Amino acid sequence: MEKLLFLIGVLLAWISTSAQPDMEVKFDAPAAYFTQSIPLGNGRLGAMVFGNPNHERIVLNEKSMWSGGIEDSNRPDAYKNLPEIQKLLQEGHNKEAQELLQQHFVCAGKGSGYGAGAHVKFGCYQILSDAFISWRDTASPITDYNRTLQIDKALATTEWKRNGIQYKEEVYVSAPQQVIIIRLSADKKHALNFDFYLNRKQNATFSAVKNTITMQGQLDGGDGDKGIKFAGFAKAIAPGGKVTSSGNVLRIDADKECTIIIGAATDMNWPHVEIRGADPLPVAQKQVCLAAAISFGELLKNHIKDFQSFFNRCALRFNAPENASIVKMTTAQRLIRYANGNSDPALPALYFNFGRYLLISASRPGGLPANLQGLWAEEYQTPWNADYHLNINVEMNYWPAEITNLADCHLPLIDFTKLLVKPGEKTAQAYYHSNGWVAHVISNPWKFTAPGEGASWGSTLTGGSWLCEHLWEHYLYNPDKKYLAEIYPVLKGATRFYTSILIEDPQTKWLVTAPSNSPENSYKMDDGFVGQTCMGPTMDMQIGRELLGNTIAAAKILHVDNPWIDSLQKIRKRLAPDQVSKKYGGIQEWLRDYDETEPHHRHVSQLFGLYPYDEINEETPVLETAARKTLERRGDEGTGWSRAWKINFWARLHDGDHALKMLKGLLQPAFEANDISTNKGAGTYSNLFCAHPPFQIDGNFGGTAGIAEMLLQSSGPNNAIRFLPALPSNKDWASGKVTGMCTRNGFQVSYEWKNGKLTKATIHSKAGAVCYLCLPDGLHVYDMKGKKIPVIFLENGVVKFESKKGAMVTVR
């Protein structure tokens, strides 16, 4: 018996440590670039591990490392120009309207600095510091090198041999202890001999005392002002060894192990950024000292337990046979192989798992939302300031949150939206003389809501309205009237703004927004004018219909505002509808059937009504056909995040094969096959970061949501649950298993399929709502006792039945 138990233990240990092609991001060389390093994070702190056994670099991040500061970016008298701008648009004088807009209707000050705002008030997100480990012996050759991110443990491990000694570096970012932990070990005594130091090129000072390093600094507050203060504190613990300090460097001669614990903080008092917080250095020191009192084993155990409390809620696995050689390949090699048409069923699952991993690592309750780079940045001037782009990017970051069972990771964006209300009310008054609140295209932790500095892109006025979708979606997935009552004033304020700025189009008598843009795209008028400023772009009208519809539904549930709701229903019916272009048969992007200057533009804004909104569905076949033609015209290329969006579009059209084609386009290697250190085009870098290019994290999240959308949907009429709505015909996807995905109306589902057909599913009711289900032929619904549940048959194969809160039913 003892021998049997021993063998079982050995087998379990082997299973837990064996290669998992859907859970590991692998490398066979140190990172030469940021997009080859391993990302780690706890929602506030981040690290990027390069894994160099000679001169290791670990990029450190703290999510509130924002330069700039609060300023009033509104033009107080801008509203005086609004009637003339709107009149010009109604008369078709778009050029004159856009010129007037640029003169009087952009933000005050320097705005975002045209995406380079490090030294203006808008600010930018930037690196905290680099951490370096310089080994003394760099002459001896390295062998048996490997570097791995274990996704399910949120642990980066680098291993190598030198002079017959086995070395290991383990790095993780602990949420329970709020520190970054680096552990170095060797299998022989006195083998750990290296220097450790922190470095920042700007605005920082360093000092080393005994076994600690202190970093302090202050960022540029813009326009000559001082910005936030920041601090880092590191402590080296080397049992049986010696740590000494010299200048700003720790000299470490350890025995067989050494642990370095790093804490960091700023005095940004999120969410109350108007008031500076505590001195950051004592905060960082306390974090480190508390963690140092805990053993490494306990620290790691606490970290994994915390991470897996999020990660293990949902899982995806494809059952197609694996090529045995895949487990030995690096992730870059797998991407190249996949792009060449070879089978790798674990690669889409790996990408799905990695996307969920990134969201858990970049967005935790109580913190700032994930920005354009999540929370990972090596720059002092990040691309586009790594800000919050409200015309798709920050929203895309959170598309996988609800469906993949990470609703609490969604909360930072929901809280951020609430915080934009007060500044957005001032902007609404300044530019539109309107009630309610508005946010335009860009924002930041300083709660910027004004138009951008350029009329050609900065006047899109539905950024705040789009954010409101996320508040409502969180309710749909987690029905709770108390929460609904909390968010209703936000929806109401956005709706009051939207309805107050509508004007009548003299040609059609429809109600339209004005002035606005279709995000970042241009049209060409019959007179040859190429412009961006317009009235009633299609996306604005789709967002408005969704916003008003959600506000009406919320008010009815809460039994409030009946007379106002009646007026909203009348307004909603008059909003400019989706139109089919007579020129090319797709959904028109603008109110008029303008020529497109860039038919393959990365934004596909006119299909907002297909995804993430769902007004284009099987009940609107003419619009579905037009949406398909729009996608065919746009093409399958585009930036990384654009390809991710198109996965979701094709999934909503129930075209699994084209959705898979777009996923393969997203996974296209953004590096040369013969040299992974090169960067090229859109797709995926060797560390699985999305290439816009440059790196932009929204594509990772959009791709993850797209995979989920191919396998499960709950959109359209009654939010009916649809299993495998866009399953590709590809054999790699023919059989699989999902656990713990979520649907609208408050259900959690797990299910299996074989040969492209659903075989069984469980549906757990979190709220006791009526369940609408697209029930496959030959399957029935049973309660927990195995008794068949009577269902009511509706149209299109949908049935409905009552559910009990906390109860589970089986489909088989």
Side-chain angles (χ1 to χ4, degrees):
M1 185 65 180
E2 289 182 2
K3 185 176 181 180
L4 177 61
L5 290 173
F6 173 77
L7 291 173
I8 291 172
V10 171
L11 177 62
L12 290 174
W14 177 81
I15 292 171
S16 67
T17 57
S18 62
Q20 298 174 280
D22 59 355
M23 285 291 178
E24 293 183 343
V25 182
K26 298 177 66 174
F27 307 84
D28 59 5
Y33 296 99
F34 184 78
T35 50
Q36 298 169 336
S37 60
I38 291 176
L40 303 163
N42 66 4
R44 183 182 71 87
L45 295 173
M48 295 293 296
V49 180
F50 282 58
N52 192 316
N54 289 323
H55 188 61
E56 169 68 304
R57 179 191 181 197
I58 302 175
V59 175
L60 307 180
N61 291 116
E62 206 279 355
K63 210 201 285 189
S64 61
M65 280 290 288
W66 263 85
S67 65
I70 297 172
E71 72 168 341
D72 185 357
S73 299
N74 298 314
R75 292 176 181 254
D77 297 328
Y79 71 91
K80 294 179 180 178
N81 299 281
L82 181 62
E84 180 62 19
I85 293 170
Q86 292 178 331
K87 180 173 177 289
L88 288 168
L89 289 170
Q90 286 174 315
E91 294 171 349
H93 301 308
N94 292 27
K95 179 181 179 181
E96 292 79 4
Q98 184 161 313
E99 289 172 351
L100 192 59
L101 196 78
Q102 183 62 52
Q103 292 174 31
H104 302 291
F105 220 76
V106 295
C107 63
K110 299 173 183 175
S112 71
Y114 285 94
H119 302 294
V120 302
K121 276 295 179 183
F122 188 90
C124 86
Y125 180 62
Q126 52 189 261
I127 185 174
L128 172 71
S129 76
D130 284 304
F132 289 106
I133 298 170
S134 291
W135 291 85
R136 309 254 174 75
D137 180 7
T138 59
S140 304
I142 298 292
T143 62
D144 301 313
Y145 179 94
N146 68 79
R147 179 165 53 99
T148 305
L149 168 63
Q150 295 172 266
I151 288 176
D152 56 342
K153 295 180 180 177
L155 177 66
T157 303
T158 306
E159 296 178 289
W160 68 95
K161 282 185 178 180
R162 173 179 268 144
N163 293 328
I165 301 172
Q166 179 70 47
Y167 290 90
K168 181 189 285 189
E169 175 190 275
E170 298 165 280
V171 187
Y172 59 94
V173 184
S174 167
Q177 271 65 57
Q178 286 296 310
V179 291
I180 299 165
I181 295 172
I182 306 166
R183 185 177 188 261
L184 297 148
S185 59
D187 65 356
K188 292 185 180 179
K189 289 188 173 185
H190 312 301
L192 300 177
N193 310 109
F194 58 88
D195 293 342
F196 175 79
Y197 60 98
L198 303 177
N199 183 64
R200 193 174 203 281
K201 297 176 182 178
Q202 302 173 359
N203 306 106
T205 61
F206 301 88
S207 62
V209 178
K210 296 182 179 178
N211 65 336
T212 67
I213 295 178
T214 298
M215 174 183 70
Q216 296 187 82
Q218 188 166 19
L219 295 181
D220 186 343
D223 297 339
D225 294 335
K226 295 289 188 180
I228 64 164
K229 293 180 180 178
F230 61 91
F233 185 72
K235 185 173 188 176
I237 303 168
K242 184 170 72 171
V243 181
T244 58
S245 60
S246 175
N248 302 328
V249 178
L250 295 183
R251 188 173 180 84
I252 298 170
D253 296 285
D255 190 8
K256 296 178 71 174
E257 64 180 65
C258 176
T259 302
I260 300 169
I261 303 174
I262 304 170
T266 78
D267 68 353
M268 179 188 284
N269 190 29
W270 181 258
H272 307 293
V273 295
E274 301 81 9
I275 306 168
R276 285 285 189 260
D279 183 350
L281 182 57
V283 175
Q285 289 171 327
K286 183 178 180 180
Q287 294 163 350
V288 171
C289 290
L290 289 174
I294 304 172
S295 70
F296 176 81
E298 194 69 19
L299 287 171
L300 182 58
K301 178 182 174 183
N302 292 345
H303 160 70
I304 293 174
K305 181 180 179 182
D306 167 81
F307 178 80
Q308 291 184 346
S309 71
F310 292 87
F311 187 78
N312 288 354
R313 299 172 191 172
C314 175
L316 163 65
R317 187 165 187 86
F318 296 108
N319 294 335
E322 293 282 358
N323 184 318
S325 64
I326 286 174
V327 297
K328 299 177 182 179
M329 293 182 183
T330 67
T331 303
Q333 289 167 343
R334 291 175 66 186
L335 288 169
I336 294 166
R337 185 177 176 276
Y338 195 65
N340 289 332
N342 293 292
S343 171
D344 189 346
L347 188 60
L350 172 65
Y351 196 82
F352 176 86
N353 290 330
F354 184 67
R356 294 186 70 246
Y357 164 84
L358 290 176
L359 189 58
I360 298 166
S361 302
S363 184
R364 294 288 188 100
L368 284 157
N371 59 44
L372 278 174
Q373 296 187 189
L375 61 74
W376 297 281
E378 65 172 344
E379 303 94 344
Y380 296 84
Q381 174 57 70
T382 38
W384 302 287
N385 299 316
D387 66 7
Y388 302 121
H389 266 50
L390 309 184
N391 61 359
I392 188 171
N393 310 99
V394 74
E395 290 92 350
M396 185 182 282
N397 283 358
Y398 288 91
W399 285 353
E402 300 292 342
I403 191 171
T404 73
N405 214 335
L406 295 174
D408 35 6
C409 293
H410 203 175
L411 295 177
L413 183 67
I414 292 167
D415 293 340
F416 178 69
T417 303
K418 296 176 185 177
L419 290 165
L420 293 183
V421 171
K422 285 193 179 299
E425 288 173 343
K426 294 179 180 179
T427 299
Q429 279 290 321
Y431 287 85
Y432 306 93
H433 209 50
S434 163
N435 294 321
W437 71 278
V438 63
H440 290 82
V441 182
I442 52 175
S443 193
N444 56 18
W446 312 118
K447 306 169 191 173
F448 185 98
T449 55
E453 61 271 22
S456 64
W457 57 270
S459 60
T460 304
L461 49 72
T462 45
S465 299
W466 190 340
L467 288 174
C468 285
E469 178 192 66
H470 286 259
L471 277 63
W472 177 250
E473 285 287 285
H474 186 70
Y475 169 75
L476 286 181
Y477 278 87
N478 311 277
D480 175 6
K481 282 190 178 181
K482 182 180 178 183
Y483 165 77
L484 186 61
E486 291 174 1
I487 66 166
Y488 179 70
V490 184
L491 301 182
K492 183 176 179 179
T495 300
R496 289 176 69 196
F497 167 76
Y498 185 91
T499 54
S500 71
I501 56 91
L502 294 170
I503 62 173
E504 186 176 87
D505 170 30
Q507 290 188 26
T508 63
K509 307 304 179 185
W510 295 328
L511 295 178
V512 294
T513 55
S516 195
N517 310 124
S518 188
E520 302 177 31
N521 203 359
S522 303
Y523 56 81
K524 185 177 181 180
M525 299 179 72
D526 291 340
D527 63 4
F529 171 67
V530 174
Q532 299 81 30
T533 300
C534 62
M535 61 181 183
T538 298
M539 189 178 78
D540 270 16
M541 310 320 297
Q542 293 172 341
I543 289 175
R545 269 189 296 279
E546 181 184 37
L547 174 66
L548 269 62
N550 294 345
T551 303
I552 291 167
K556 288 181 176 179
I557 293 168
L558 297 171
H559 303 293
V560 297
D561 290 334
N562 287 335
W564 184 58
I565 292 307
D566 291 340
S567 71
L568 290 186
Q569 290 173 326
K570 294 175 183 177
I571 292 171
R572 189 170 184 268
K573 290 178 181 178
R574 290 193 61 199
L575 296 178
D578 296 323
Q579 301 177 75
V580 178
S581 170
K582 291 182 174 61
K583 295 181 178 179
Y584 68 94
I587 302 290
Q588 277 184 209
E589 185 164 355
W590 293 277
L591 183 66
R592 308 284 183 247
D593 202 359
Y594 295 134
D595 286 334
E596 298 177 320
T597 60
E598 195 176 342
H600 305 303
H601 197 270
R602 61 192 176 277
H603 285 265
V604 197
S605 302
Q606 66 270 44
L607 295 192
F608 176 93
L610 176 62
Y611 187 96
Y613 187 31
D614 60 0
E615 71 174 10
I616 300 174
N617 56 55
E618 64 269 21
E619 293 192 348
T620 61
V622 172
L623 294 179
E624 271 201 333
T625 299
R628 181 180 290 271
K629 289 183 178 179
T630 299
L631 289 170
E632 290 168 350
R633 181 174 170 84
R634 273 295 199 265
D636 295 334
E637 298 299 316
T639 60
W641 63 261
S642 180
R643 298 178 187 191
W645 198 1
K646 291 170 186 174
I647 299 170
N648 290 275
F649 286 143
W650 286 108
R652 280 282 171 92
L653 292 173
H654 301 165
D655 190 334
D657 287 339
H658 209 130
L660 178 58
K661 182 180 179 183
M662 293 313 310
L663 176 60
K664 288 184 174 180
L666 179 61
L667 292 173
Q668 183 72 24
F671 51 86
E672 297 290 348
N674 59 354
D675 182 4
I676 68 166
S677 67
T678 57
N679 293 321
K680 68 162 192 177
T684 297
Y685 294 115
S686 58
N687 68 351
L688 290 187
F689 269 172
C690 178
H692 176 286
F695 159 52
Q696 201 167 291
I697 206 166
D698 43 9
N700 287 103
F701 296 131
T704 302
I707 293 169
E709 197 75 15
M710 293 165 73
L711 300 174
L712 178 71
Q713 292 178 21
S714 59
S715 55
N718 298 311
N719 295 324
I721 298 171
R722 286 175 170 78
F723 294 109
L724 311 176
L727 189 72
S729 59
N730 185 291
K731 66 182 186 329
D732 286 356
W733 292 62
S735 301
K737 180 178 180 180
V738 164
T739 57
M741 278 193 190
C742 296
T743 75
R744 296 170 181 86
N745 296 340
F747 296 98
Q748 181 172 312
V749 300
S750 298
Y751 53 101
E752 298 179 32
W753 69 98
K754 189 174 182 179
N755 298 324
K757 302 291 184 182
L758 184 74
T759 54
K760 62 180 178 179
T762 58
I763 303 174
H764 175 256
S765 177
K766 298 187 290 184
V770 174
C771 183
Y772 293 85
L773 170 67
C774 189
L775 186 65
D777 292 341
L779 300 184
H780 305 278
V781 183
Y782 299 87
D783 65 17
M784 297 172 74
K785 296 180 180 179
K787 182 180 178 182
K788 187 183 290 187
I789 295 175
V791 300
I792 298 173
F793 288 86
L794 306 174
E795 295 179 346
N796 300 317
V798 175
V799 302
K800 76 171 185 175
F801 56 90
E802 299 291 331
S803 79
K804 293 182 180 179
K805 184 176 181 180
M808 185 171 68
V809 301
T810 302
V811 179
R812 52 185 169 84

